[in-house]
Amino acid sequence: MDPQWLDIGPVDQLPTMGARTLPVRGGREIAIFRTANGGVHALANQCPHKAGPLSQGIVHDTTVTCPLHNWRISLITGEALGEDKGCVPVIPVKIDGGRILIGRAAALAGVM
Amino acid sequence: MNKPGLVVIGNGMAGCRAVEEILARDGDRFAITIFGAEPRVNYNRIMLSPLLAGEKSFDDIVINDHAWYTDNGIELVAGDAVVAIDRAARTVTARSGRVALYDKLLLATGSDPFIIPVPGHDLSGVVTFRDMDDVGAMLRAASAGTEAVVIGGGLLGLEAAHGLSLRGMKVTVLHLMPTLMERQLDEAAGWLLKAELESRGQTIITGADTAEIHGQGKVEGVRLKDGRDIPASLVVMAVGIRPNVKLAREAGLAIGRGIHVDDHLVTSDADVLAVGECVEHMGQIYGLVAPLWEMCRALADGLVATPSGYGGSVTSTKLKVSGIDVFSAGDFGGGDGCEDIVLRDAARGVYKRVVVKGDRLIGAVLYGDTQDGNWYFDLLKKGEDVADIRDALIFGQAFALGGGASANPNAAVAAMPGDGEICGCNGVSKARIVGAIEGGSVTLDAVRACTKASASCGSCTGLVEGLLAITLGDDYGGERAAPTICKCSSFTHEDVRRLIVEKALKAIPEVMQALHWTTPDGCSSCRPALNYYLLCAWPGEFVDDNQSRFVNERMHANIQKDGTYSVVPRMWGGVTNPRELRAIADVAEKYQARMVKVTGGQRLDIFGIKKEDLPAVWADLNAAGMVSGHAYAKALRTVKTCVGSEWCRFGTQDSTGLGIQTEKMTWGSFMPHKFKIAVSGCPRNCAEATIKDFGVICVDSGYELSIGGNGGIKLRGTDFLVKVATEQEALDYCAAFIQLYREEARYLDRTAPWVERVGLDYIKGRIVEDAAGREALTARFHYSQQFMQDDPWAKRAAGEDAKLHQHIAEIRPTRRVLEPA
């Protein structure tokens, strides 16, 4: 067992230009995104604005647009883009051998 | 005196190149023996595809002929693979039993094709594409059969497919990922490649997951997990390669994905070196030729000269895929602080994208014109500051360094002669455009209307705007009469809709390429709009792009502020019955809905449903005969009715019945925005028909039809359209009006602002005064409805897109085990 990473499944389970969710402690979720270029990113699944589920937004380039009020959030930094101000936690994630590995500590502790 | 012995395992490109490098530095140091598994001299593996295609012969692709081995005193043991290494005894043993002693051992075992372990992968007729023997097997199969399947749409697979096509086979390429060559190309370039290969007669299926290869004793076909079956007498497995580390593992050397080597290509044993595709250096493995050459140089330096050290390779890919030029380098995945510069030239079939981060070029993808690939790669490797040439970077080296990159982007167009052509599509010169501007065409739209410049493909829009700025100076505000579709494009909604039809554009990436989108994959404004415009323009042909749908239309339910969903089943004309009500009540209890609410459109809305429960909720509602109410969609929402002549003492006509007929006709039709209808049985108007998109008020002598009402932020009463005598006419006018709105309004325009913009007279002209036009609109609406009227809930309840409703995995801390969904 890798102490740092947690295998959450094959990367082909992620829709391109879409996202799926991983429930964590405290009833919260991590959203795992896949961009058009195959990049994989993970954020806490709540918009810094009104906690909208970012996993349900439209993914374009390395940005997701929140489904509730169209805030644009960087998948890389978790920062709101444009005029909006706010930040959502970024969860470490990587692809290895076609598997999605997520930061074990963040996944088990739950996201704040 | 005896020279120390160097034994090389692997007579391929890496092994022989390393030997060449060693000989070049010190031709006399070692007694060299090369073992090769194949019974032939070293040849250029990259050229296998021209060999397969019949464009070259084996002699053409030989790198080191027999004379080379002889002249350099190298003993070649070809066709006798090494099967064991004894590091203690410093020997290698070949399959024939032959043993060779070494002082230094070089592993150049390359890589093996990866075989996906589906049923039937071992049938006769299933081949890989890696060496001469594979080519021989493919050629034998090509002469015997007519249909081939290539599994894998990466470089190797596409080369194999190209070769087999040229041999006259009908080739189908199956690729698991959504776009071809996704490691080397971005989505836009991958899509262009697919379109080009398809136009040459290959069949390309992306997102194709192979279930099995079937046949009696030999291959007869390939079955996909979605049930499709593709007949084939030859299956080429080209899904990827993995480093061949078998010998190294058995000899106890340190390995990861490849054989671990240091900067001098030395393995965990100081007397054993390794080079090429079989090695892992600083966590990287390489499958391209350029890094391999760099490794060979460092290896020879370390072994016989002054150690230089291999520092890893930055790779670029410049290839001809089936004769099409593609190039990529660096990181084009985007990222924080990264900025894309995109240039598309649809006429030449060119797509270029460079990625800039903090004044440095970090990635590039080129399709169709790779002339500047090396320049970009050079800028990237050297990490040069590109701030000064940034604006001209995308136009290539000649332009950027030839002074085209002056600080004022308008300088280039200012310097053009008057007879210089600005708009290639319509042959418009600079002088003519300047003349038009001076003649009073002071906006882009006016110039387009007056001269047609930039009105076709739009790629010269920037130049025309430059001329406006130069000619008008401070008077040019840059405003457009009609807004562009979004920041990704210089086209208006109307332009995009017109060009989709004129140029027969049928996919989102195709529109983006043909209309010179400035972003690689659009944004959350243009993607849903394009998806709708294509769906409207090509009913029955266009395949909906789920990822370009807003959440509600993707999930077929209304997202609420807490991330749960509300579910509204359709109640035709607002009429329900005990069976439906029981089913709704049962669903509300079973899935712990937190509220059930009567909506303004005479429906019941079930609130607080979790996304995981949606398919089960829909299955229960379907079982009671109910379908999606599309309460979430830019589509027909509800037809609200009053009880009409059947019950009401004032009712003049059967408003409920007409409402139900209208809803049965219009449900499921996607539109620019939501669309509401009401039918009132008398002028008392209990169904509030005069604030709907389409309203019917029944009177004794017939039906008064009105349009463009809205009860939203800005209250707008309907405009009277026409009075008709029969229900059928009311239905026909309704269909015609909806189709006109579907075909001409901008995405996210409700009917009210649209009617105000185009004017009631225009709509009357199209629908009331032009009977033939009305009938044509009605017919187009009904044609489109054939493809629209299937219940999305039923498909989801049956398991379609199940992933959308499931978590990817569940963490169970007690067992510390993860179950993939």
Side-chain angles (χ1 to χ4, degrees), chain A residues 14-15 42-43 53 105:
Chain A
L14 285 176
L43 301 176

Side-chain angles (χ1 to χ4, degrees), chain B residues 528-568:
Chain B
L530 291 180
N531 192 62
Y532 168 71
Y533 292 155
L534 288 164
L535 174 152
C536 179
W538 312 112
E541 267 187 82
F542 176 65
V543 181
D544 205 279
D545 177 24
N546 223 359
Q547 303 303 352
S548 295
R549 290 280 195 176
F550 291 124
V551 54
N552 288 351
E553 294 184 355
R554 196 178 334 119
M555 299 302 282
H556 295 292
N558 289 61
I559 196 164
Q560 302 300 325
K561 63 184 240 185
D562 64 353
T564 65
Y565 291 83
S566 80
V567 171
V568 183

Side-chain angles (χ1 to χ4, degrees), chain B residues 440-695:
Chain B
S441 301
V442 296
T443 65
L444 180 64
D445 299 306
V447 172
R448 281 183 177 169
C450 177
T451 67
K452 292 278 176 288
S454 82
S456 290
C457 85
S459 59
C460 60
T461 303
L463 296 177
V464 175
E465 288 183 313
L467 284 176
L468 280 159
I470 294 164
T471 313
L472 298 173
D474 291 342
D475 293 339
Y476 178 58
E479 65 278 331
R480 305 278 303 271
T484 60
I485 183 166
C486 70
K487 285 179 183 164
C488 303
S489 171
S490 66
F491 284 107
T492 63
H493 288 266
E494 289 75 12
D495 290 334
V496 171
R497 300 203 72 162
R498 173 176 57 80
L499 289 164
I500 282 174
V501 175
E502 274 180 24
K503 292 173 178 272
L505 308 174
K506 298 194 177 175
I508 291 174
E510 190 179 7
V511 176
M512 290 181 177
Q513 174 67 15
L515 305 188
H516 305 270
W517 243 242
T518 57
T519 50
D521 51 8
C523 70
S524 59
S525 295
C526 60
R527 288 231 315 266
L530 291 180
N531 192 62
Y532 168 71
Y533 292 155
L534 288 164
L535 174 152
C536 179
W538 312 112
E541 267 187 82
F542 176 65
V543 181
D544 205 279
D545 177 24
N546 223 359
Q547 303 303 352
S548 295
R549 290 280 195 176
F550 291 124
V551 54
N552 288 351
E553 294 184 355
R554 196 178 334 119
M555 299 302 282
H556 295 292
N558 289 61
I559 196 164
Q560 302 300 325
K561 63 184 240 185
D562 64 353
T564 65
Y565 291 83
S566 80
V567 171
V568 183
R570 194 165 286 288
M571 285 178 181
W572 307 100
V575 176
T576 184
N577 57 44
R579 181 176 178 230
E580 291 181 352
L581 291 171
R582 269 190 207 101
I584 289 170
D586 288 344
V587 160
E589 281 185 350
K590 186 168 163 191
Y591 300 98
Q592 294 160 3
R594 297 212 301 277
M595 184 166 79
V596 180
K597 166 93 176 65
V598 179
T599 71
Q602 301 182 334
R603 305 295 140 103
L604 288 173
D605 198 345
I606 312 164
F607 280 87
I609 303 293
K610 296 188 205 65
K611 80 174 175 194
E612 304 89 286
D613 288 336
L614 287 171
V617 167
W618 295 333
D620 288 0
L621 295 171
N622 279 163
M626 284 178 279
V627 299
S628 167
H630 290 95
Y632 47 81
K634 317 287 179 216
L636 186 271
R637 290 285 179 89
T638 58
V639 180
K640 188 174 178 177
T641 65
C642 67
V643 290
S645 58
E646 196 183 349
W647 299 91
C648 178
R649 60 199 163 112
F650 300 114
T652 61
Q653 309 281 356
D654 178 13
S655 53
T656 317
L658 178 58
I660 292 170
Q661 281 188 69
T662 309
E663 189 158 354
K664 297 261 181 191
M665 177 181 81
T666 53
W667 76 281
S669 98
F670 282 104
M671 307 200 205
H673 210 307
K674 60 186 172 187
F675 194 97
K676 300 176 178 181
I677 299 177
V679 184
S680 282
C682 78
R684 288 168 191 78
N685 192 12
C686 294
E688 297 159 339
T690 46
I691 53 163
K692 300 301 180 204
D693 295 282
F694 187 83

Side-chain angles (χ1 to χ4, degrees), chain B residues 341-354:
Chain B
I341 308 171
V342 174
L343 176 76
R344 301 174 190 249
D345 185 340
R348 288 171 56 224
V350 169
Y351 167 80
K352 298 181 177 188
R353 172 172 168 226
V354 298

